[in-house]
Amino acid sequence: MAATDLSAADLLPLVSQLNAEYARAIDDDRLEDWPGFFVERCVYKITSADNHRKGLPVGVIYADSRGMLHDRVAALREANIYERQSYRHLVGLPAIRGEDDAAVRAETPFLVVRIMRDGRMDLFATGRYLDTLVEDAGALRFRERIVVCDSSRIDTLLAIPL
Amino acid sequence: MAATDLSAADLLPLVSQLNAEYARAIDDDRLEDWPGFFVERCVYKITSADNHRKGLPVGVIYADSRGMLHDRVAALREANIYERQSYRHLVGLPAIRGEDDAAVRAETPFLVVRIMRDGRMDLFATGRYLDTLVEDAGALRFRERIVVCDSSRIDTLLAIPL
Amino acid sequence: MAATDLSAADLLPLVSQLNAEYARAIDDDRLEDWPGFFVERCVYKITSADNHRKGLPVGVIYADSRGMLHDRVAALREANIYERQSYRHLVGLPAIRGEDDAAVRAETPFLVVRIMRDGRMDLFATGRYLDTLVEDAGALRFRERIVVCDSSRIDTLLAIPL
């Protein structure tokens, strides 16, 4: 099955499942599984809506290979700066944006709540995922995931992937 | 294809896509696209759960044609009162409520976060969409969308559509 | 149809609909409908992520039959302690976790907003549903729903089901 042989209605459950599993991996603190959602030569970046609109360079996180994502997880594990909180992703309904050259584009809103060790909860981030997905070794994977945060006040100590 | 020839499981991806695109149009500030999600003779209103339960007249917004929706967008553009914030809709899973006279009824929860220009985020609104959907010129469109906000404290300067 | 004859992509709309209807019943205050989402011999419990991880006994709510769920609703109606607020569930995309012995396992994130009578809204709970679903009298029902709240600070007067 090539992803591109499928209609938007067929793709929706596949893209939904991918998003659900991606969010679970992060919220379950299985960060080592996170790079596996991407193809080897991928783009992952976190930016703000303002910077994205103005075409400004990414200020927060940029990676262009699965290896860089693994490195980031290793650094996070070493720094261990996020131990005192957990996160909960609520991923909205994906909008399937069409297909070109054997890839599927999707745009999906998200909201992340941060839960402090003392039980307090706050809105940590909202935004949208701008994704390019391809079939890779029998699974749908991200060739590109651009995380556009609505707020420009992104925590510079941002630890977890979004 | 008539919408009513489809089962709830078949309709779910179509209704989900419509909701996803609707929310995107608003959050991307493409308000001019918003009336296009409705049929020409439509009903759009925003009310509170209390007023809806008591059958009281709508207090916030009421429109009964696509033209009125266009007028509202034009007024918003002129007033330009919402420039200092952006919004993020998280739309939940639609519950397909059945079909009658060639229309589909669906009920879908939503949550809207407001992002201020300085980066602060707050819960702006929660509630549910009570929708009647019909097939119109090859697409699923709203014949009626009643936006029932959970809170009675709806911002009277409410600018954006919900 | 046995639930287990279906693929994850086929199951997703069914599991989504079940979750959507479950959340609607609670948020519409139709608590009497809530036990009907479970099979007769079921498990329903609410716990915290910490307790769940450590395998500690459930601290909040435990029921192992539909009858106990009915009893709980009756007690809530009598106590009437939650009259002054309403709730809005936002249920995320379910991750279908596979099937064994004629049952489907799914994991679904949730967020609940509480709306006070004066209109204030706050984040009430986030977490995930760990579900085992079976086909029962022609419908998909919960054989087990473990509600794992992210925060350990769960309101001890917790009134509504989650």
Side-chain angles (χ1 to χ4, degrees), chain A residues 94 96-97 107 150-151 153, chain B residues 17 21 24 88 119-120:
Chain A
I96 308 294
R97 302 303 307 145
E107 184 174 325
D150 294 320
S151 172
R153 201 194 324 188
Chain B
Q17 280 298 286
E21 294 293 351
R24 275 184 77 233
R88 177 62 53 198
R120 277 178 302 130

Side-chain angles (χ1 to χ4, degrees), chain A residues 8-9 12 50 53 90-97 107 109-111 123-128 148 150-153, chain B residues 12-13 16-17 19-21 24 28 86-94 111 113 115 117-123:
Chain A
L12 187 62
D50 266 358
R53 195 181 303 114
L90 264 284
V91 178
L93 302 169
I96 308 294
R97 302 303 307 145
E107 184 174 325
F110 66 86
L111 175 159
L123 283 175
F124 180 67
T126 63
R128 56 204 164 109
V148 183
D150 294 320
S151 172
S152 297
R153 201 194 324 188
Chain B
L12 187 61
S16 297
Q17 280 298 286
N19 273 289
E21 294 293 351
R24 275 184 77 233
D28 288 355
S86 66
Y87 298 86
R88 177 62 53 198
H89 283 67
L90 264 283
V91 178
L93 302 168
L111 175 159
V113 173
I115 302 98
R117 288 303 293 167
D118 67 2
R120 277 178 302 130
M121 293 176 280
D122 60 6
L123 283 175

Side-chain angles (χ1 to χ4, degrees), chain B residues 22-38 66 69-78 80 82 87 89 159-162:
Chain B
Y22 178 99
R24 275 184 77 233
I26 297 172
D27 293 344
D28 288 355
D29 195 28
R30 290 183 285 105
L31 299 185
E32 285 71 16
D33 293 347
W34 171 62
F37 292 98
F38 294 82
R66 203 191 267 167
L69 299 177
H70 277 297
D71 290 349
R72 179 158 182 85
V73 171
L76 284 173
R77 290 298 188 205
E78 193 152 344
N80 205 15
Y82 63 97
Y87 298 86
H89 283 67
I160 56 153
L162 285 178

Side-chain angles (χ1 to χ4, degrees), chain A residues 64-128:
Chain A
D64 65 6
S65 72
R66 202 191 267 165
M68 282 183 72
L69 300 178
H70 277 296
D71 289 349
R72 178 158 182 87
V73 171
L76 284 173
R77 290 298 188 203
E78 192 153 343
N80 204 16
I81 54 176
Y82 63 99
E83 63 177 319
R84 300 177 72 80
Q85 47 252 230
S86 66
Y87 298 86
R88 177 62 53 199
H89 283 67
L90 264 284
V91 178
L93 302 169
I96 308 294
R97 302 303 307 145
E99 307 164 32
D100 47 41
D101 62 85
V104 176
R105 288 180 303 118
E107 184 174 325
T108 307
F110 66 86
L111 175 159
V112 182
V113 174
R114 178 170 54 181
I115 302 99
M116 310 305 280
R117 289 302 294 165
D118 67 1
R120 278 177 301 130
M121 293 176 280
D122 59 8
L123 283 175
F124 180 67
T126 63
R128 56 204 164 109

Side-chain angles (χ1 to χ4, degrees), chain B residues 14-162:
Chain B
L14 299 175
V15 176
S16 297
Q17 280 298 286
L18 179 61
N19 273 289
E21 294 293 351
Y22 178 99
R24 275 184 77 233
I26 297 172
D27 293 344
D28 288 355
D29 195 28
R30 290 183 285 105
L31 299 185
E32 285 71 16
D33 293 347
W34 171 62
F37 292 98
F38 294 82
V39 300
E40 179 55 45
R41 303 281 311 159
C42 60
V43 170
Y44 174 78
K45 55 185 182 185
I46 300 182
T47 187
S48 69
D50 266 359
N51 280 6
H52 184 71
R53 195 181 304 115
K54 295 173 186 160
L56 291 178
V58 170
V60 189
I61 289 175
Y62 181 89
D64 65 7
S65 73
R66 203 191 267 167
M68 283 182 71
L69 299 177
H70 277 297
D71 290 349
R72 179 158 182 85
V73 171
L76 284 173
R77 290 298 188 205
E78 193 152 344
N80 205 15
I81 54 177
Y82 63 97
E83 63 176 319
R84 299 178 72 79
Q85 48 252 230
S86 66
Y87 298 86
R88 177 62 53 198
H89 283 67
L90 264 283
V91 178
L93 302 168
I96 308 294
R97 302 302 307 147
E99 306 164 33
D100 47 40
D101 62 84
V104 176
R105 288 179 302 118
E107 185 176 325
T108 306
F110 67 85
L111 175 159
V112 182
V113 173
R114 178 171 52 181
I115 302 98
M116 310 305 281
R117 288 303 293 167
D118 67 2
R120 277 178 302 130
M121 293 176 280
D122 60 6
L123 283 175
F124 180 68
T126 63
R128 56 203 163 109
Y129 295 122
L130 306 183
D131 297 327
T132 306
L133 302 130
V134 293
E135 207 223 333
D136 176 50
L140 205 56
R141 289 197 169 83
F142 297 108
R143 191 168 74 191
E144 183 172 274
R145 165 154 275 196
I146 304 176
V147 185
V148 183
C149 293
D150 293 321
S151 172
S152 296
R153 201 194 325 187
I154 305 173
D155 195 336
T156 50
L157 288 172
L158 184 69
I160 56 153
L162 285 178

Side-chain angles (χ1 to χ4, degrees), chain C residues 111-160:
Chain C
L111 175 159
V112 182
V113 173
R114 179 170 53 181
I115 302 98
M116 310 305 281
R117 289 303 293 166
D118 67 1
R120 277 177 302 131
M121 292 177 280
D122 60 7
L123 283 175
F124 181 67
T126 63
R128 56 203 164 110
Y129 295 123
L130 305 183
D131 297 328
T132 307
L133 302 129
V134 293
E135 206 224 335
D136 176 50
L140 206 56
R141 290 198 168 84
F142 297 108
R143 190 169 73 190
E144 183 171 273
R145 165 153 274 196
I146 304 178
V147 185
V148 183
C149 293
D150 293 321
S151 172
S152 297
R153 201 191 329 185
I154 305 174
D155 194 336
T156 51
L157 287 172
L158 184 68
I160 57 153

